[in-house]
Amino acid sequence: MTKARLEAFSDGVIAILITIMVLELRVPHGTGWTALEPLLPVFLTYALSFVFLGIYWNNHHHMFHLVDRINGKIMWANLHLLFWLSLTPFVTAWMGENHFASLPTAAYGAVMLLAAIAYYILQTAIIRHQGPRSRLAAAVGGDLKGRLSPLLYAAAIPLAFVHEWISDALYVAVALIWLVPDPRIEARIAAEH
Amino acid sequence: MTKARLEAFSDGVIAILITIMVLELRVPHGTGWTALEPLLPVFLTYALSFVFLGIYWNNHHHMFHLVDRINGKIMWANLHLLFWLSLTPFVTAWMGENHFASLPTAAYGAVMLLAAIAYYILQTAIIRHQGPRSRLAAAVGGDLKGRLSPLLYAAAIPLAFVHEWISDALYVAVALIWLVPDPRIEARIAAEH
Amino acid sequence: MTKARLEAFSDGVIAILITIMVLELRVPHGTGWTALEPLLPVFLTYALSFVFLGIYWNNHHHMFHLVDRINGKIMWANLHLLFWLSLTPFVTAWMGENHFASLPTAAYGAVMLLAAIAYYILQTAIIRHQGPRSRLAAAVGGDLKGRLSPLLYAAAIPLAFVHEWISDALYVAVALIWLVPDPRIEARIAAEH
Amino acid sequence: MTKARLEAFSDGVIAILITIMVLELRVPHGTGWTALEPLLPVFLTYALSFVFLGIYWNNHHHMFHLVDRINGKIMWANLHLLFWLSLTPFVTAWMGENHFASLPTAAYGAVMLLAAIAYYILQTAIIRHQGPRSRLAAAVGGDLKGRLSPLLYAAAIPLAFVHEWISDALYVAVALIWLVPDPRIEARIAAEH
């Protein structure tokens, strides 16, 4: 089976998720600066989740660039990833509307952790399908980022109950780690052309 | 006519359906565990419908893999399938918000049954267009799953009025039956390469 | 310029429109049959508009099948069509929630009329770009349906104030006229292969 | 990396944005002409933003027509553009529901300005990747429109506090400037075929 429809479907779901989050930026009733003030945390969480979903789309793009064929397991591993990503608008809105309270902040981390695990499962399913000598297996080699991110998310969940800003700082840190697209994969792509 | 736009359009509709269901997971006002409690049945129904739509997307993908050309009848049979699938968010929300009451549970089964019938009509339209010796006709051969699912849904509708958990168990059972992608089609695809 | 992105963008917009209309089927609070009753007109209007948008998608698909290259004018004529189609969910909900009252019924006809005119402008822009000897020009030849539909919509608008059921009957009639995909285009496509 | 998924993803996001704005056209409770009256400013703002997003889609289409390969920087510059575009429904609804009050009108201009800057950054990232002798660099040459639009938006922001109609007139003016697709790029495309 070819990967075209899996890519198109994933692009569609991520495009919708990244866009419907903006519906939580409820239009204020007033027209003054004070009307905008309560929207600030919602806006910041929106921007964070936009970057978060953008990273997943970027990495998904990079990863499937090295994939030729897919099978049923890869399709379900991909749907599993999309399931956890689909909860992003929910935790984004819950955290944003409650000024980063402890439980919503921890829930945000939990969804991020589960998405990171799902991404790892998907990557493993692809490598298993392609064999250990595949281009992707070589490219992700000692995948430091992929192992570090779940650890940081796992740490952020209990730390949200100590102080929510610790977790928020960790989320921003993970975002920054990933913002640079994986140089190993980019290098490999560049080397092949 | 080529199948590219039909696939893209169906991917788009299913991607949107699978994503807008999450809007029914209304953001709770509180920030404690008790605020999450009433969301549990909504979440479980969401997960069930996510799997349900994922199965349809998977099977649609598998089926059209064996299709080369389409005609007007296939296009309308496909739109007919999308129509019943488009009611999934409605019955999902109705069942989830009412803790699986009898009528909403039966309505969920009715939509599932109508979607299953529409899928069967689509499959028949394709086989009729391709001829009885087509690859799809051979692949679906004695389509046990495709015949069993509507029967289970048809049984679940009246049984929801006996006890709604019987129907819920049947829905989960059908989901599990389909979760494994059709080995006959996969085998045929693998054999051809 | 190639038509691929124009087709993909139009597919996306129509897929979203056909899907978000279902959000107007508000989940009822009760769980009995009486809770479903007020939804009946909303459901019927939803089904009508689903067919209406399905027809546009089908005809768009057929028409662009005969298009090779596009220009800026075609892109804007296509966006103009999408603009009027994008008002479908609004008039659908307004008409459905008011049990087909006169003004909403007339507004529904007005949006349908403007969409039909926009489709005609798009078709004309394509034929002008391709030249009068193009395949599309030959295929639409004496386009009876395309000329009849706007007339029926134009008649339905004032007739909604005589009795709304006259207009509703006209809308259903136009839908039935178009449900069969254009045999001239299909025949031409078949003849070429 | 190829541009196919970047185009598909951008098409998806813009298609969703252009469509969900219509959800702000809330269905009125009444069925008379007076029920439609308060919707007029919302409708006009919707039409303006529809044209605005249509222009971006058109220009995006034209620009990427001259792009062969992309890199990580272009992907992020594109996501950055989509981020500001994604705020269009929010400012559209805020401005429309408040009859073009000063602050919402200025906010609309600010989002338009930031989107214009993001578009310029994206264009620069592409030209930097392709080299100064690329087709795109030649096509945008002395990009008058691209430099004029941000200036007009920047002027519209403070002028909204003098009188909001000045800003509205400027927004309409920018829309009209761009409505004609870039003749230099079209000419170049035509010349190459």
Side-chain angles (χ1 to χ4, degrees):
Chain A
M1 275 180 291
T2 61
K3 62 179 178 175
R5 276 190 80 178
L6 184 144
E7 287 185 339
F9 186 72
S10 310
D11 284 355
V13 170
I14 299 176
I16 298 157
L17 289 173
I18 220 170
T19 318
I20 60 172
M21 281 193 305
V22 89
L23 295 176
E24 286 299 327
L25 270 179
R26 305 223 181 276
V27 178
H29 289 294
T31 60
W33 288 103
T34 49
L36 282 182
E37 228 176 287
L39 286 177
L40 190 67
V42 186
F43 178 75
L44 290 178
T45 334
Y46 171 61
L48 180 67
S49 294
F50 192 97
V51 171
F52 174 63
L53 285 170
I55 290 166
Y56 269 97
W57 180 70
N58 254 330
N59 286 330
H60 196 274
H61 186 133
H62 277 81
M63 184 161 69
F64 274 90
H65 189 82
L66 300 179
V67 172
D68 297 315
R69 312 213 137 267
I70 59 167
N71 63 3
K73 260 173 210 154
I74 293 172
M75 284 173 80
W76 278 109
N78 189 61
L79 275 168
H80 178 236
L81 169 63
L82 294 178
F83 178 77
W84 294 116
L85 292 181
S86 81
L87 294 179
T88 311
F90 174 76
V91 287
T92 300
W94 199 30
M95 184 163 91
E97 287 172 18
N98 292 290
H99 303 76
F100 307 97
S102 299
L103 185 61
T105 304
Y108 191 86
V111 166
M112 282 184 153
L113 176 61
L114 289 159
I117 292 171
Y119 188 84
Y120 182 77
I121 292 172
L122 173 60
Q123 189 178 277
T124 308
I126 295 171
I127 291 175
R128 203 163 284 172
H129 185 54
Q130 293 186 330
R133 298 194 181 181
S134 67
R135 293 190 292 162
L136 180 64
V140 297
D143 184 6
L144 186 64
K145 280 186 202 179
R147 282 172 201 165
L148 188 60
S149 312
L151 290 181
L152 292 178
Y153 290 139
I157 298 171
L159 287 170
F161 297 98
V162 179
H163 204 294
E164 52 268 29
W165 293 111
I166 305 172
S167 310
D168 296 327
L170 284 171
Y171 300 153
V172 173
V174 176
L176 292 177
I177 290 176
W178 279 102
L179 258 177
V180 187
D182 202 316
R184 286 158 306 176
I185 294 184
E186 287 243 327
R188 180 154 290 263
I189 292 166
E192 284 177 8
H193 292 298
Chain B
M1 275 180 293
T2 60
K3 63 179 177 174
R5 276 189 81 178
L6 185 144
E7 287 185 340
F9 186 73
S10 309
D11 284 355
V13 170
I14 298 176
I16 297 157
L17 289 173
I18 220 169
T19 318
I20 60 172
M21 281 193 306
V22 89
L23 295 176
E24 286 299 327
L25 271 180
R26 305 225 181 274
V27 178
H29 289 295
T31 59
W33 288 103
T34 49
L36 282 182
E37 227 176 288
L39 286 177
L40 190 67
V42 186
F43 177 75
L44 289 178
T45 334
Y46 171 62
L48 180 67
S49 294
F50 192 98
V51 171
F52 174 63
L53 286 170
I55 290 166
Y56 270 98
W57 180 71
N58 254 329
N59 286 331
H60 197 274
H61 186 133
H62 277 81
M63 184 161 68
F64 274 89
H65 189 82
L66 300 179
V67 172
D68 297 315
R69 311 212 137 268
I70 59 167
N71 62 3
K73 261 175 208 153
I74 293 172
M75 284 173 80
W76 278 107
N78 190 59
L79 275 168
H80 177 236
L81 170 63
L82 294 178
F83 179 77
W84 294 114
L85 292 182
S86 81
L87 294 179
T88 311
F90 174 76
V91 287
T92 301
W94 199 30
M95 184 162 93
E97 286 172 19
N98 291 290
H99 303 77
F100 308 96
S102 299
L103 185 62
T105 304
Y108 191 87
V111 167
M112 283 184 152
L113 175 61
L114 289 160
I117 292 170
Y119 188 84
Y120 182 77
I121 292 171
L122 173 60
Q123 189 178 277
T124 308
I126 295 171
I127 291 175
R128 203 164 284 173
H129 185 55
Q130 294 186 330
R133 296 194 182 181
S134 66
R135 293 191 292 163
L136 182 63
V140 298
D143 185 5
L144 186 64
K145 281 186 201 179
R147 282 172 200 164
L148 189 60
S149 312
L151 289 181
L152 292 178
Y153 290 139
I157 298 170
L159 287 170
F161 298 97
V162 179
H163 204 294
E164 52 267 29
W165 292 112
I166 306 173
S167 310
D168 296 327
L170 284 172
Y171 300 153
V172 173
V174 177
L176 292 177
I177 291 175
W178 279 103
L179 259 176
V180 188
D182 203 315
R184 286 158 307 175
I185 294 184
E186 287 243 327
R188 180 155 291 263
I189 291 166
E192 283 178 9
H193 293 298
Chain C
M1 275 180 292
T2 60
K3 63 179 177 173
R5 277 189 81 178
L6 185 145
E7 287 185 340
F9 186 73
S10 310
D11 284 355
V13 170
I14 298 176
I16 298 157
L17 288 173
I18 220 169
T19 319
I20 60 173
M21 281 193 304
V22 89
L23 296 176
E24 286 299 326
L25 271 179
R26 306 226 182 273
V27 178
H29 288 296
T31 59
W33 288 103
T34 49
L36 282 183
E37 228 176 289
L39 286 177
L40 191 67
V42 186
F43 177 76
L44 289 178
T45 334
Y46 171 62
L48 180 66
S49 295
F50 192 98
V51 171
F52 174 62
L53 286 171
I55 289 166
Y56 270 97
W57 180 71
N58 254 330
N59 286 331
H60 197 274
H61 186 132
H62 277 81
M63 183 162 68
F64 273 90
H65 190 80
L66 300 179
V67 173
D68 297 315
R69 311 211 138 268
I70 58 168
N71 62 4
K73 260 175 209 153
I74 294 172
M75 284 172 80
W76 277 108
N78 190 59
L79 275 168
H80 177 235
L81 169 63
L82 294 178
F83 179 76
W84 295 114
L85 292 181
S86 81
L87 295 179
T88 311
F90 173 76
V91 287
T92 301
W94 200 31
M95 183 163 92
E97 286 171 19
N98 291 291
H99 302 77
F100 308 96
S102 298
L103 185 61
T105 304
Y108 191 86
V111 166
M112 282 185 153
L113 175 61
L114 289 159
I117 292 170
Y119 188 83
Y120 182 76
I121 292 172
L122 173 60
Q123 189 178 276
T124 308
I126 295 172
I127 291 175
R128 202 163 284 173
H129 184 54
Q130 294 185 332
R133 297 193 181 183
S134 66
R135 294 190 292 161
L136 182 63
V140 298
D143 185 5
L144 185 65
K145 281 186 200 179
R147 282 172 200 166
L148 188 61
S149 313
L151 290 181
L152 292 177
Y153 290 139
I157 298 171
L159 287 169
F161 298 97
V162 179
H163 203 295
E164 53 267 31
W165 292 112
I166 305 172
S167 311
D168 295 327
L170 285 172
Y171 300 153
V172 173
V174 177
L176 292 177
I177 291 175
W178 279 102
L179 258 176
V180 187
D182 202 317
R184 287 158 306 175
I185 294 185
E186 286 242 328
R188 181 154 290 263
I189 291 167
E192 284 177 9
H193 293 296
Chain D
M1 275 180 291
T2 60
K3 63 179 177 173
R5 277 189 81 179
L6 185 145
E7 287 184 340
F9 186 72
S10 309
D11 284 355
V13 169
I14 298 175
I16 298 157
L17 289 173
I18 220 169
T19 319
I20 60 173
M21 281 194 304
V22 89
L23 295 176
E24 286 299 328
L25 271 179
R26 305 224 182 275
V27 179
H29 289 296
T31 59
W33 287 103
T34 50
L36 281 183
E37 227 177 288
L39 286 177
L40 190 68
V42 186
F43 178 75
L44 290 178
T45 334
Y46 171 62
L48 180 67
S49 295
F50 192 97
V51 172
F52 175 62
L53 285 171
I55 289 166
Y56 269 98
W57 179 71
N58 254 329
N59 286 331
H60 196 275
H61 186 133
H62 277 81
M63 184 161 68
F64 273 90
H65 190 81
L66 300 178
V67 172
D68 296 316
R69 311 211 138 268
I70 59 167
N71 62 3
K73 260 175 209 153
I74 293 172
M75 285 172 79
W76 278 108
N78 190 60
L79 275 168
H80 177 236
L81 169 63
L82 295 177
F83 179 76
W84 294 114
L85 292 181
S86 81
L87 295 179
T88 311
F90 174 76
V91 286
T92 301
W94 200 30
M95 184 163 91
E97 286 172 18
N98 292 290
H99 303 76
F100 307 97
S102 300
L103 185 61
T105 305
Y108 191 86
V111 166
M112 282 186 153
L113 176 61
L114 289 160
I117 292 171
Y119 188 84
Y120 183 77
I121 292 172
L122 173 60
Q123 189 178 276
T124 308
I126 294 172
I127 291 175
R128 202 163 284 172
H129 185 54
Q130 294 186 332
R133 298 193 180 182
S134 66
R135 293 190 291 161
L136 181 64
V140 297
D143 185 5
L144 186 65
K145 281 186 200 179
R147 282 171 201 167
L148 189 61
S149 313
L151 290 182
L152 292 177
Y153 290 140
I157 298 171
L159 287 170
F161 297 97
V162 179
H163 203 295
E164 52 268 29
W165 293 111
I166 306 172
S167 311
D168 295 327
L170 285 172
Y171 300 153
V172 173
V174 176
L176 292 177
I177 292 176
W178 280 102
L179 258 177
V180 187
D182 203 316
R184 287 159 305 175
I185 294 184
E186 286 243 327
R188 180 154 291 262
I189 292 167
E192 284 177 9
H193 293 298

